Amino acid sequence: MPPNVYRGVFDRWHEAYERGGPGWPPEVVEIAGAPPQAGVLELGAGTGKLTRLLVDRFADVAAVEPDEGMRRVL
């Protein structure tokens, strides 16, 4: 079996996760004591579901995602 036989099948699950995976409740970004001017680092940002909420709440957001497919959706 060639090594790339599954190419294209398993590299699109990121989009399915974005469509069907649960989101975050808006109140998750209400961090006690964190002013809107705060800088926020999100490690393992995935497809950006939490990132979108953070960007709406904080002035400076950096999202880091090691998986290339997740970054593509992010």
Side-chain angles (χ1 to χ4, degrees):
M1 194 179 299
N4 292 332
V5 70
Y6 295 113
R7 172 158 273 164
V9 175
F10 294 113
D11 60 355
R12 288 190 299 260
W13 67 270
H14 309 91
E15 288 85 1
Y17 174 82
E18 174 61 21
R19 285 190 309 276
W24 291 89
E27 55 272 5
V28 74
V29 297
E30 297 302 323
I31 303 164
Q37 309 87 331
V40 177
L41 172 62
E42 181 185 10
L43 294 175
T47 61
K49 292 180 179 214
L50 178 58
T51 310
R52 290 186 283 277
L53 294 174
L54 291 169
V55 166
D56 287 343
R57 170 77 168 93
F58 295 102
D60 185 22
V61 177
V64 177
E65 174 52 54
D67 183 83
E68 182 181 337
M70 289 287 203
R71 278 195 316 271
R72 187 176 60 244
V73 177
L74 175 65

